[in-house]
mmCIF file of all heavy atoms in Angstrom:
data_model
loop_
_atom_site.group_PDB
_atom_site.id
_atom_site.type_symbol
_atom_site.label_atom_id
_atom_site.label_comp_id
_atom_site.label_asym_id
_atom_site.label_seq_id
_atom_site.Cartn_x
_atom_site.Cartn_y
_atom_site.Cartn_z
ATOM 1 N N PRO A 196 88.705 77.019 74.575
ATOM 2 C CA PRO A 196 88.724 78.427 74.789
ATOM 3 C C PRO A 196 89.232 78.896 76.161
ATOM 4 O O PRO A 196 89.677 79.952 76.287
ATOM 5 C CB PRO A 196 87.154 78.732 74.698
ATOM 6 C CG PRO A 196 86.554 77.384 75.005
ATOM 7 C CD PRO A 196 87.344 76.410 74.427
ATOM 8 N N ILE A 197 89.212 77.939 77.113
ATOM 9 C CA ILE A 197 89.720 78.375 78.499
ATOM 10 C C ILE A 197 91.146 78.659 78.491
ATOM 11 O O ILE A 197 91.670 79.732 79.080
ATOM 12 C CB ILE A 197 89.425 77.232 79.573
ATOM 13 C CG1 ILE A 197 89.561 77.830 80.956
ATOM 14 C CG2 ILE A 197 90.252 76.023 79.232
ATOM 15 C CD1 ILE A 197 88.689 78.942 81.284
ATOM 16 N N SER A 198 91.900 77.874 77.564
ATOM 17 C CA SER A 198 93.383 78.308 77.377
ATOM 18 C C SER A 198 93.611 79.524 76.553
ATOM 19 O O SER A 198 94.711 80.201 76.867
ATOM 20 C CB SER A 198 94.111 77.003 76.787
ATOM 21 O OG SER A 198 94.045 75.906 77.631
ATOM 22 N N VAL A 199 92.764 79.803 75.713
ATOM 23 C CA VAL A 199 92.873 81.156 74.979
ATOM 24 C C VAL A 199 92.617 82.202 76.070
ATOM 25 O O VAL A 199 93.316 83.257 75.916
ATOM 26 C CB VAL A 199 91.919 81.129 73.737
ATOM 27 C CG1 VAL A 199 92.098 82.422 72.989
ATOM 28 C CG2 VAL A 199 92.071 79.925 72.852
ATOM 29 N N ALA A 200 91.640 82.019 76.740
ATOM 30 C CA ALA A 200 91.267 83.028 77.772
ATOM 31 C C ALA A 200 92.484 83.266 78.620
ATOM 32 O O ALA A 200 92.841 84.347 79.118
ATOM 33 C CB ALA A 200 90.074 82.657 78.642
ATOM 34 N N ARG A 201 93.216 82.196 79.098
ATOM 35 C CA ARG A 201 94.400 82.446 79.906
ATOM 36 C C ARG A 201 95.533 83.212 79.137
ATOM 37 O O ARG A 201 96.231 83.993 79.698
ATOM 38 C CB ARG A 201 94.946 81.137 80.339
ATOM 39 C CG ARG A 201 96.122 81.233 81.287
ATOM 40 C CD ARG A 201 96.555 80.044 81.980
ATOM 41 N NE ARG A 201 97.634 80.148 82.904
ATOM 42 C CZ ARG A 201 98.258 79.201 83.684
ATOM 43 N NH1 ARG A 201 97.741 78.137 83.758
ATOM 44 N NH2 ARG A 201 99.326 79.572 84.373
ATOM 45 N N LYS A 202 95.608 82.882 77.912
ATOM 46 C CA LYS A 202 96.616 83.697 77.109
ATOM 47 C C LYS A 202 96.218 85.144 76.943
ATOM 48 O O LYS A 202 97.127 85.958 76.937
ATOM 49 C CB LYS A 202 96.709 83.115 75.634
ATOM 50 C CG LYS A 202 97.457 81.733 75.652
ATOM 51 C CD LYS A 202 99.049 82.016 75.785
ATOM 52 C CE LYS A 202 99.707 80.774 75.632
ATOM 53 N NZ LYS A 202 101.204 80.956 75.907
ATOM 54 N N VAL A 203 94.935 85.416 76.878
ATOM 55 C CA VAL A 203 94.511 86.796 76.960
ATOM 56 C C VAL A 203 94.964 87.491 78.159
ATOM 57 O O VAL A 203 95.434 88.603 78.221
ATOM 58 C CB VAL A 203 92.929 86.966 76.705
ATOM 59 C CG1 VAL A 203 92.552 88.308 76.909
ATOM 60 C CG2 VAL A 203 92.524 86.440 75.454
ATOM 61 N N MET A 204 94.884 86.755 79.312
ATOM 62 C CA MET A 204 95.168 87.248 80.636
ATOM 63 C C MET A 204 96.658 87.418 80.749
ATOM 64 O O MET A 204 97.083 88.586 81.154
ATOM 65 C CB MET A 204 94.705 86.322 81.782
ATOM 66 C CG MET A 204 95.165 86.702 83.157
ATOM 67 S SD MET A 204 94.578 85.468 84.398
ATOM 68 C CE MET A 204 95.763 84.063 84.123
ATOM 69 N N GLU A 205 97.445 86.582 80.143
ATOM 70 C CA GLU A 205 98.837 86.650 80.388
ATOM 71 C C GLU A 205 99.745 87.411 79.267
ATOM 72 O O GLU A 205 100.843 87.814 79.565
ATOM 73 C CB GLU A 205 99.520 85.219 80.584
ATOM 74 C CG GLU A 205 98.879 84.539 81.810
ATOM 75 C CD GLU A 205 99.357 83.164 81.911
ATOM 76 O OE1 GLU A 205 99.738 82.464 80.921
ATOM 77 O OE2 GLU A 205 99.298 82.597 83.113
ATOM 78 N N ALA A 206 99.054 87.376 78.052
ATOM 79 C CA ALA A 206 99.905 87.857 76.926
ATOM 80 C C ALA A 206 99.365 89.226 76.336
ATOM 81 O O ALA A 206 99.945 89.692 75.322
ATOM 82 C CB ALA A 206 99.987 86.833 75.824
ATOM 83 N N THR A 207 98.345 89.774 76.899
ATOM 84 C CA THR A 207 97.786 91.075 76.384
ATOM 85 C C THR A 207 97.513 91.990 77.484
ATOM 86 O O THR A 207 97.300 91.504 78.688
ATOM 87 C CB THR A 207 96.498 90.743 75.569
ATOM 88 O OG1 THR A 207 95.302 90.693 76.455
ATOM 89 C CG2 THR A 207 96.594 89.555 74.744
ATOM 90 N N PRO A 208 97.296 93.288 77.143
ATOM 91 C CA PRO A 208 96.745 94.204 78.251
ATOM 92 C C PRO A 208 95.342 94.125 78.428
ATOM 93 O O PRO A 208 94.839 94.948 79.279
ATOM 94 C CB PRO A 208 97.274 95.603 77.682
ATOM 95 C CG PRO A 208 97.194 95.363 76.175
ATOM 96 C CD PRO A 208 97.603 93.926 75.956
ATOM 97 N N HIS A 209 94.577 93.331 77.847
ATOM 98 C CA HIS A 209 93.165 93.261 77.837
ATOM 99 C C HIS A 209 92.646 92.133 78.759
ATOM 100 O O HIS A 209 93.373 91.289 79.148
ATOM 101 C CB HIS A 209 92.609 93.083 76.431
ATOM 102 C CG HIS A 209 93.186 94.056 75.413
ATOM 103 N ND1 HIS A 209 93.061 95.440 75.578
ATOM 104 C CD2 HIS A 209 93.890 93.830 74.261
ATOM 105 C CE1 HIS A 209 93.658 96.078 74.576
ATOM 106 N NE2 HIS A 209 94.179 95.142 73.799
ATOM 107 N N VAL A 210 91.317 92.206 78.976
ATOM 108 C CA VAL A 210 90.545 91.070 79.688
ATOM 109 C C VAL A 210 89.779 90.329 78.713
ATOM 110 O O VAL A 210 89.814 89.080 78.772
ATOM 111 C CB VAL A 210 89.620 91.754 80.741
ATOM 112 C CG1 VAL A 210 88.685 90.692 81.281
ATOM 113 C CG2 VAL A 210 90.510 92.387 81.992
ATOM 114 N N MET A 211 89.194 90.812 77.769
ATOM 115 C CA MET A 211 88.367 90.089 76.815
ATOM 116 C C MET A 211 88.543 90.370 75.339
ATOM 117 O O MET A 211 88.780 91.473 74.853
ATOM 118 C CB MET A 211 86.919 90.432 77.187
ATOM 119 C CG MET A 211 85.841 89.767 76.218
ATOM 120 S SD MET A 211 84.120 90.065 76.553
ATOM 121 C CE MET A 211 83.879 89.003 77.960
ATOM 122 N N LEU A 212 88.660 89.241 74.596
ATOM 123 C CA LEU A 212 88.634 89.363 73.168
ATOM 124 C C LEU A 212 87.518 88.563 72.633
ATOM 125 O O LEU A 212 87.068 87.434 73.290
ATOM 126 C CB LEU A 212 89.950 88.715 72.563
ATOM 127 C CG LEU A 212 91.277 89.482 72.912
ATOM 128 C CD1 LEU A 212 92.423 88.671 72.371
ATOM 129 C CD2 LEU A 212 91.203 90.962 72.360
ATOM 130 N N VAL A 213 86.895 88.908 71.553
ATOM 131 C CA VAL A 213 85.561 88.277 71.029
ATOM 132 C C VAL A 213 85.787 87.997 69.599
ATOM 133 O O VAL A 213 86.493 88.618 68.830
ATOM 134 C CB VAL A 213 84.456 89.219 71.286
ATOM 135 C CG1 VAL A 213 84.316 89.491 72.786
ATOM 136 C CG2 VAL A 213 84.433 90.458 70.522
ATOM 137 N N GLY A 214 84.903 87.099 69.154
ATOM 138 C CA GLY A 214 84.655 86.796 67.641
ATOM 139 C C GLY A 214 85.960 86.605 66.887
ATOM 140 O O GLY A 214 86.852 85.879 67.277
ATOM 141 N N LYS A 215 86.036 87.203 65.675
ATOM 142 C CA LYS A 215 87.067 86.984 64.813
ATOM 143 C C LYS A 215 88.433 87.447 65.460
ATOM 144 O O LYS A 215 89.529 86.826 65.167
ATOM 145 C CB LYS A 215 86.964 87.725 63.521
ATOM 146 C CG LYS A 215 85.756 87.086 62.674
ATOM 147 C CD LYS A 215 85.564 87.924 61.442
ATOM 148 C CE LYS A 215 84.445 87.289 60.577
ATOM 149 N NZ LYS A 215 84.150 88.092 59.262
ATOM 150 N N GLY A 216 88.408 88.448 66.274
ATOM 151 C CA GLY A 216 89.667 88.907 66.907
ATOM 152 C C GLY A 216 90.142 87.941 67.928
ATOM 153 O O GLY A 216 91.376 87.735 67.900
ATOM 154 N N ALA A 217 89.298 87.265 68.636
ATOM 155 C CA ALA A 217 89.725 86.192 69.552
ATOM 156 C C ALA A 217 90.261 84.960 68.765
ATOM 157 O O ALA A 217 91.198 84.347 69.211
ATOM 158 C CB ALA A 217 88.536 85.723 70.452
ATOM 159 N N TYR A 218 89.580 84.741 67.651
ATOM 160 C CA TYR A 218 90.049 83.543 66.697
ATOM 161 C C TYR A 218 91.407 83.879 66.134
ATOM 162 O O TYR A 218 92.328 82.975 66.241
ATOM 163 C CB TYR A 218 89.014 83.372 65.637
ATOM 164 C CG TYR A 218 89.509 82.253 64.776
ATOM 165 C CD1 TYR A 218 89.462 81.000 65.062
ATOM 166 C CD2 TYR A 218 89.887 82.511 63.411
ATOM 167 C CE1 TYR A 218 89.805 79.984 64.154
ATOM 168 C CE2 TYR A 218 90.291 81.616 62.581
ATOM 169 C CZ TYR A 218 90.259 80.341 62.889
ATOM 170 O OH TYR A 218 90.493 79.325 61.948
ATOM 171 N N ARG A 219 91.604 85.090 65.690
ATOM 172 C CA ARG A 219 92.968 85.485 65.144
ATOM 173 C C ARG A 219 94.042 85.368 66.243
ATOM 174 O O ARG A 219 95.235 84.817 66.051
ATOM 175 C CB ARG A 219 92.914 86.786 64.523
ATOM 176 C CG ARG A 219 94.248 87.150 63.856
ATOM 177 C CD ARG A 219 93.950 88.480 62.988
ATOM 178 N NE ARG A 219 93.674 89.627 63.733
ATOM 179 C CZ ARG A 219 92.536 90.285 63.597
ATOM 180 N NH1 ARG A 219 91.559 89.855 62.874
ATOM 181 N NH2 ARG A 219 92.263 91.362 64.455
ATOM 182 N N PHE A 220 93.641 85.836 67.373
ATOM 183 C CA PHE A 220 94.706 85.877 68.473
ATOM 184 C C PHE A 220 94.989 84.442 68.813
ATOM 185 O O PHE A 220 96.262 84.108 69.097
ATOM 186 C CB PHE A 220 94.101 86.586 69.650
ATOM 187 C CG PHE A 220 94.896 86.437 70.863
ATOM 188 C CD1 PHE A 220 96.127 87.087 71.209
ATOM 189 C CD2 PHE A 220 94.414 85.550 71.969
ATOM 190 C CE1 PHE A 220 96.870 86.960 72.323
ATOM 191 C CE2 PHE A 220 95.136 85.329 73.149
ATOM 192 C CZ PHE A 220 96.412 86.008 73.231
ATOM 193 N N ALA A 221 93.994 83.501 68.927
ATOM 194 C CA ALA A 221 94.341 82.097 69.306
ATOM 195 C C ALA A 221 95.269 81.529 68.198
ATOM 196 O O ALA A 221 96.171 80.779 68.599
ATOM 197 C CB ALA A 221 93.031 81.343 69.245
ATOM 198 N N LEU A 222 95.054 81.768 66.947
ATOM 199 C CA LEU A 222 95.955 81.179 65.898
ATOM 200 C C LEU A 222 97.377 81.686 66.042
ATOM 201 O O LEU A 222 98.408 80.980 65.957
ATOM 202 C CB LEU A 222 95.493 81.550 64.528
ATOM 203 C CG LEU A 222 94.087 80.896 64.208
ATOM 204 C CD1 LEU A 222 93.701 81.279 62.751
ATOM 205 C CD2 LEU A 222 94.068 79.351 64.341
ATOM 206 N N GLU A 223 97.467 82.980 66.341
ATOM 207 C CA GLU A 223 98.744 83.596 66.581
ATOM 208 C C GLU A 223 99.501 83.055 67.745
ATOM 209 O O GLU A 223 100.746 83.004 67.838
ATOM 210 C CB GLU A 223 98.595 85.176 66.742
ATOM 211 C CG GLU A 223 98.172 85.939 65.548
ATOM 212 C CD GLU A 223 97.844 87.253 65.918
ATOM 213 O OE1 GLU A 223 97.739 87.645 67.066
ATOM 214 O OE2 GLU A 223 97.578 88.106 64.926
#
């Protein structure tokens, strides 16, 4: 999950994604 968190930081305008949304983003 730490690497998904870094992707949230670098590839989205957001700070936090949760639950199914975070999972879908990780797969993408």
Side-chain angles (χ1 to χ4, degrees):
I197 196 64
S198 294
V199 183
R201 182 169 178 177
K202 283 291 186 182
V203 172
M204 178 178 75
E205 296 177 339
T207 81
H209 308 305
V210 169
M211 176 180 281
L212 295 178
V213 304
K215 292 181 179 179
Y218 176 72
R219 184 169 64 243
F220 170 76
L222 296 180
E223 291 170 352

